[in-house]
Amino acid sequence: MTTHAPHLIRGESGDWEVVIGLEVHAQVTSQAKLFSGAATAFGAEPNTQVSLVDAAMPGMLPVINGHCIEQAIKTGLGLKAQINRRSVFDRKNYFYADLPAGYQISQYLQPIVGKGEIVLDLPDGRGRTIAITRLHLEMDAGKSLHDQHPSQTYIDLNRAGVALMEIVSEPDLRTAEEAGAYVRKLRSILRYLGTCDGNMEEGSLRCDCNVSVRHPGEKLGTRTETKNVNSVRFVMAAIEHEARRQIGVLESGGTIQQETRLFDPATGTTRPMRSKEHAHDYRYFPDPDLLPLELSEAEIERIRASLPELPDDKKKRFIEGYKLSAQDAGVLVAEQAAANFFEAVAAGRDAKLAANWVINELFGRLNAAGKPIDASPVAAERLGALVDLIQDGTISGRIAKDVFETMFETGRDPAAIVEEKGLRQVSDTGALDAAIAEVLAGNADKVAEFKSGKDKLFGFFVGQVMKKTGGKANPGLVNDMLRKKLSS
Amino acid sequence: MALDKAAVRKIARLARIRVAEEELDGLAVELSNILTFVEQLGEVDTAGVEPMTSVVAMTLPRRADAVTDGNTADKVLVNAPEGTGNFFAVPKVVE
């Protein structure tokens, strides 16, 4: 019997392999737009962040924003990609109400960034390398509101002209989970670099999913493109649905149309976009308003020197330097702020203990409260102080959880909480002796049973002593002392 | 290069220019003549010559990343046939 490879989908006609490539549109973090001096801030009043260039008034000329160029180079370097010393801006021609000029300025045959790669962090701790085809700079279109009026569409051009990086992957992804991991990793790298804020709710990161299916070993099937999916969860749902839909069509004797589809989050399904005749005939040509973009080696090297430590390098350092598991290191480095927080807690302390407290207690509590790490009510120094109290035996790990709960609610210093509530671990043998004596005297029957061979009762005695001391007894000490007492 | 009637119809449609059916034949002849005229350039041997992108010796000028424009919704909307509350209003685009 052959084993079923986990990435395949079993159908009536055998196993199917899903082939996925993603195009991510990432909004460049910048003050002003790609070709004008209008602002990019989210949420402004309609058409207040529009220059006459963005509105495509006759005679207006685009002048490129130098910072956006640097951001694209930086992103390319972060993706270990080739930076093209010469690239060209082209006009992509199509008519739509939110595209005032009738063309989008984009890059076609000669993009600013060429081949690169992204390493996915898979749940089992393995890494998988996905090839990046290219990254190019382009301007965003305006925003159409279709639901404000029964017979009209409202247009807001605030977004028109905002700089986007389109990042295209090779069709190397094989499952919805891998696609989700890809978007998460790309988002993490962009946020480390500060080149895109990665805010999917505000549309700073949008994803087009190219999906096709085939029997393993066969040539590529016809693909469909599901446009503008705006969350990791939706990317995974759209791919899952689209793959199963295509398998259903093929197994019932149909063929897949190469088409553009839309994902409906309400139903979790995809549907074809109203078919636009000639929609793909963009008639690209070099924009005569813009000269080719030439980069010097010095400029590229200056930007390379400014790169921060990226997630993959940080993860490696955490595994080697702090002896963390690949999984823990992966969780900690996903957000730069979380990684910094951990390092502040771990400084001069048991790193594994620190990682446990940051990941299991703090992250768990923050998630439940829906707070990001930078809004943590527990400061890194204070969590560090709590780890100190555990390490030096002042409190047990069990009591520390209660102290942490109070810290999370009040933000206070753990030592002060321990003193105030009298939670200091009892390591005084005299006090423990008394508690043990009381427990043994009060359970003479159980002591007899224990001595006649019922070893399991040992745990019962430990529990009773802990209870008598309000959980504050040093558990290791209680174990030792009880064992001595019971064997005498 | 000769353009046929179907090609002219497609180009007109892509450019959103309304061309009556009876005009297509004439336009096909005119456009074909223009293309044939320009194609004479193909006779020049340009092997090894870099494509010329500009007649002036300059590189792409760059702008600083600073907000220098905006808050002129009245000017942006002044030519709009229809608008409401600072939005352009256009016939409904179904999608």
Side-chain angles (χ1 to χ4, degrees):
Chain A
M1 209 183 106
T2 56
T3 52
H4 187 70
H7 71 279
L8 300 177
I9 295 180
R10 182 165 283 167
E12 286 167 21
S13 61
D15 286 343
W16 292 91
E17 182 179 49
V18 187
V19 178
I20 305 153
L22 298 180
E23 292 169 21
V24 172
H25 291 88
Q27 181 178 327
V28 175
T29 300
S30 66
Q31 299 297 314
K33 293 183 179 180
L34 183 55
F35 295 113
S36 86
T40 59
F42 180 78
E45 287 299 307
N47 290 309
T48 55
Q49 296 181 163
V50 182
S51 84
L52 298 182
V53 176
D54 308 318
M57 292 295 173
M60 296 294 115
L61 286 173
V63 180
I64 198 163
N65 180 333
H67 180 63
C68 294
I69 297 171
E70 291 180 14
Q71 293 283 60
I73 297 170
K74 203 172 192 181
T75 306
L77 293 172
L79 298 173
K80 299 187 174 67
Q82 181 204 329
I83 308 300
N84 292 327
R85 295 277 303 274
R86 178 190 160 93
S87 64
V88 172
F89 288 96
D90 297 278
R91 291 185 180 178
K92 178 181 178 177
N93 301 278
Y94 67 93
F95 285 100
Y96 204 78
D98 57 23
L99 188 75
Y103 60 84
Q104 176 194 30
I105 303 177
S106 181
Q107 298 190 296
Y108 187 48
L109 295 175
Q110 293 173 267
I112 185 167
V113 176
K115 287 188 188 313
E117 64 178 48
I118 284 188
V119 179
L120 305 189
D121 302 300
L122 298 176
D124 58 6
R126 279 183 311 126
R128 183 155 127 64
T129 302
I130 302 298
I132 302 287
T133 314
R134 59 185 279 160
L135 174 156
H136 69 249
L137 273 172
E138 62 184 28
M139 52 180 252
D140 205 349
K143 186 175 165 191
S144 297
L145 293 92
H146 302 296
D147 53 2
Q148 306 288 307
H149 189 278
S151 62
Q152 291 187 322
T153 292
Y154 291 168
I155 310 286
D156 174 11
L157 298 181
N158 280 350
R159 225 174 56 194
V162 167
L164 302 177
M165 296 179 283
E166 178 172 329
I167 302 161
V168 183
S169 86
E170 289 290 313
D172 286 353
L173 300 157
R174 290 293 175 271
T175 64
E177 287 69 33
E178 283 184 0
Y182 173 91
V183 177
R184 276 195 301 271
K185 186 59 174 281
L186 176 57
R187 183 173 177 274
S188 171
I189 292 171
L190 293 169
R191 286 171 56 88
Y192 265 72
L193 292 167
T195 55
C196 168
D197 67 20
N199 189 331
M200 297 189 86
E201 292 76 39
E202 293 178 4
S204 302
L205 206 66
R206 313 193 289 269
C207 192
D208 298 346
C209 312
N210 290 295
V211 176
S212 66
V213 298
R214 65 176 170 189
H215 289 302
E218 286 181 353
K219 64 181 179 59
L220 288 174
T222 304
R223 67 184 167 83
T224 64
E225 180 179 16
T226 304
K227 284 265 190 204
N228 270 335
V229 188
N230 68 354
S231 85
V232 173
R233 198 159 53 86
F234 292 163
V235 165
M236 293 170 66
I239 290 170
E240 196 67 38
H241 174 269
E242 187 51 21
R244 289 182 189 278
R245 184 192 70 83
Q246 291 185 13
I247 292 169
V249 169
L250 293 170
E251 292 197 332
S252 57
T255 52
I256 302 300
Q257 300 299 316
Q258 181 163 347
E259 63 184 357
T260 307
R261 300 179 68 89
L262 286 176
F263 176 70
D264 180 358
T267 59
T269 59
T270 66
R271 60 183 161 84
M273 264 171 93
R274 193 168 58 103
S275 128
K276 289 185 204 148
E277 219 180 328
H278 312 298
H280 289 291
D281 199 341
Y282 292 129
R283 295 151 292 142
Y284 283 96
F285 64 89
D287 191 323
D289 289 341
L290 293 159
L291 288 164
L293 172 57
E294 314 258 3
L295 304 174
S296 70
E297 203 57 46
E299 174 171 25
I300 296 169
E301 288 315 308
R302 178 177 58 74
I303 295 169
R304 192 192 302 280
S306 77
L307 291 184
E309 181 185 37
L310 289 169
D312 288 339
D313 292 330
K314 203 182 277 288
K315 183 178 173 186
K316 189 158 172 268
R317 179 164 66 79
F318 279 16
I319 293 170
E320 286 168 5
Y322 294 115
K323 309 289 173 213
L324 299 184
S325 68
Q327 196 164 10
D328 282 356
V331 171
L332 289 169
V333 305
E335 288 284 339
Q336 202 165 22
N340 292 345
F341 192 101
F342 160 74
E343 290 208 85
V345 176
R349 306 191 174 95
D350 179 336
K352 278 187 189 169
L353 190 58
N356 275 340
W357 276 87
V358 171
I359 295 171
N360 299 327
E361 304 303 323
L362 181 66
F363 286 1
R365 200 65 176 71
L366 286 171
N367 275 342
K371 286 185 179 174
I373 184 81
D374 10 7
S376 169
V378 179
E381 304 73 56
R382 297 234 149 132
L383 188 55
L386 182 67
V387 172
D388 285 340
L389 293 176
I390 303 165
Q391 270 188 276
D392 70 14
T394 305
I395 54 173
S396 66
R398 165 72 198 78
I399 290 289
K401 292 194 181 186
D402 296 339
V403 176
F404 176 78
E405 198 51 41
T406 308
M407 290 167 72
F408 197 88
E409 279 156 20
T410 64
R412 290 175 58 210
D413 173 33
I417 297 170
V418 167
E419 283 315 317
E420 184 187 289
K421 298 198 174 178
L423 298 173
R424 186 173 283 275
Q425 179 162 258
V426 179
S427 298
D428 166 9
T429 48
L432 290 182
D433 252 337
I436 289 170
E438 266 183 65
V439 167
L440 297 185
N443 297 283
D445 48 339
K446 296 234 167 47
V447 174
E449 280 180 54
F450 179 82
K451 291 196 168 168
S452 63
K454 208 166 172 191
D455 293 349
K456 281 185 192 156
L457 278 170
F458 189 73
F460 165 79
F461 295 122
V462 174
Q464 289 300 306
V465 175
M466 293 307 284
K467 199 171 163 190
K468 203 158 268 311
T469 58
K472 290 180 287 182
N474 179 328
L477 210 50
V478 171
N479 266 292
D480 290 348
M481 292 172 66
L482 255 178
R483 209 168 284 286
K484 260 183 216 152
K485 271 275 188 309
L486 286 167
S487 61
S488 64
Chain B
M1 184 177 162
L3 289 179
D4 62 13
K5 204 168 158 178
V8 177
R9 193 185 290 119
K10 185 182 173 194
I11 293 164
R13 188 191 158 84
L14 284 171
R16 297 295 190 276
I17 298 172
R18 184 179 303 165
V19 177
E21 192 65 21
E22 59 271 21
E23 290 176 273
L24 290 174
D25 280 322
L27 281 171
V29 173
E30 267 184 55
L31 288 171
S32 297
N33 284 343
I34 292 168
L35 285 174
T36 308
F37 175 73
V38 174
E39 273 167 1
Q40 291 179 68
L41 288 171
E43 293 167 16
V44 182
D45 180 9
T46 56
V49 180
E50 282 278 306
M52 184 177 73
T53 49
S54 171
V55 292
V56 287
M58 64 180 290
T59 54
L60 182 68
R62 301 183 187 184
R63 197 166 38 78
D65 182 31
V67 177
T68 55
D69 207 340
N71 288 317
T72 52
D74 50 338
K75 284 187 187 168
V76 169
L77 289 154
V78 72
N79 297 318
E82 241 188 293
T84 179
N86 271 6
F87 285 109
F88 292 91
V90 300
K92 192 143 192 136
V93 186
V94 191
E95 197 53 78

